[in-house]
Amino acid sequence: MNGPRTIAAPVTGATRRFFGGVGLLLRGLGLYVRSPGLMLLGVVPALLSAALFVAAFATLIYFVDELAAWVTPFADDWSDTPRSLVRVIAGLAFLGLGGLLTVVGFTAVTLVIGDPFYEKISERVEDRLGGTPGAVEVPFGASLRRSVVDSLRLVGLSVLFGIPLFLAGFIPVVGQTVVPVVGAAVGGWLLAVELVGAPFSRRGLRLPDRRARLKADRATSLGFGVAVFLCFLIPLGAVLVMPAAVAGAALLARRSLGQHIEES
C-alpha cells in the first residue's frame, strides 16, 4: 500500500497550534453529549485499569519517605533541617517519576484491555468525517499484538526519559519548576503517540509512521497530549477523559495526515 503523501509543517504560530491541539481534546469531550452510551462504555476499561494504577501510586506514596531516605544515605549525619529538605526533594522526584509512569502505563494498559470499545469510538469519529481513507483490514489478533508491542515500547521510552528527569528533580528550584514542565511535555508527547495508534493502524501504519507524522506538527500534538496528561492527573480525570482522548486522537491523526477534521 502506498503511504500517505508527505505533509509540510504548518506555518501558523506554534502557540496557536498548541491551543488548537487542546481544542481537539475539547471536541472529543463534546462526544459525551452526542454519543453518551458509547462514551460511557469507554469508561469501563478505564475504571478497571485505574484501580490497578491508583493502588500502585498509593503504594508509592506510602513508601516514599523510605525511598527518599534510601537514595540519600549521604544525608544521614546532617542536621534535621537540611536532611529533611533534601529528602522532601527526593520524595517529590519519586512522585514525579511515578506520576509520569502511571499516566503513560495507565493509557497503555487501558487501550489494550479496552481495544474494542476505543476502536469503535475512533471509528465513529472518522465515520462522521467521511470515513477512513486508505483503510486496510487488520485481524483482531494482529491488531492486539501490535498494540501491546507498541505500548511496551512507549512505556520503555517513558522510563528512559523519566530517569534523567528524576535525577534533575534533585536540583533545587529547577527540579521543582522546570522539571515538572518538561515532564508534562514528555508525558504529553508519549500520550499523543500512544493514543493515535488505532486510526493509524486502520491505515496500515505503524509506530514510526505515528512519530514522523506527529513531529511534522509537534506543537499541535503537544497541545493535545499535554492537555490529556494534565486531565489524567486530576482524580477520576483519567477515567472520565479516556474516551474523549481517544476521540480527540482520531481528529489529531486525521489532521497529521492532511485529512479534513470538519463535518461536511
Side-chain angles (χ1 to χ4, degrees), residues 116-170:
F117 301 111
Y118 299 131
E119 180 67 30
K120 191 66 177 178
I121 291 172
S122 185
E123 284 183 357
R124 180 74 61 88
V125 172
E126 296 221 61
D127 287 344
R128 285 179 171 168
L129 300 173
T132 305
V136 297
E137 189 68 29
V138 181
F140 175 75
S143 175
L144 183 61
R145 285 194 299 272
R146 288 183 181 182
S147 177
V148 171
V149 171
D150 289 348
S151 294
L152 288 174
R153 287 176 181 172
L154 288 168
V155 171
L157 283 173
S158 71
V159 173
L160 290 177
F161 284 114
I163 290 174
L165 288 173
F166 168 74
L167 296 175
F170 286 88

Side-chain angles (χ1 to χ4, degrees), residues 3-10 17 20-21 24 126 129 189 192-193 195-201 203 205-222 224 248-261:
R5 60 187 176 83
T6 301
I7 308 299
R17 286 184 281 121
L24 297 180
E126 296 221 61
L129 300 173
W189 171 256
V193 174
L195 286 164
V196 297
F200 271 74
S201 180
R203 293 163 170 83
L205 302 173
R206 297 296 305 277
L207 182 58
D209 302 299
R210 289 188 243 165
R211 287 198 293 253
R213 292 292 165 170
L214 295 186
K215 280 180 182 177
D217 189 3
R218 193 186 296 271
T220 299
S221 303
L222 279 175
F224 172 77
L251 298 173
L252 176 63
R254 292 181 68 90
R255 182 165 180 165
S256 70
L257 292 166
Q259 297 158 4
H260 69 88
I261 59 172

Side-chain angles (χ1 to χ4, degrees), residues 79-122:
S79 59
D80 289 345
T81 299
R83 182 175 65 245
S84 297
L85 179 60
V86 76
R87 286 180 175 168
V88 166
I89 292 173
L92 291 174
F94 269 112
L95 293 177
L97 175 61
L100 173 63
L101 296 179
T102 295
V103 169
V104 176
F106 162 83
T107 306
V109 171
T110 304
L111 288 175
V112 170
I113 65 178
D115 183 72
F117 301 111
Y118 299 131
E119 180 67 30
K120 191 66 177 178
I121 291 172
S122 185

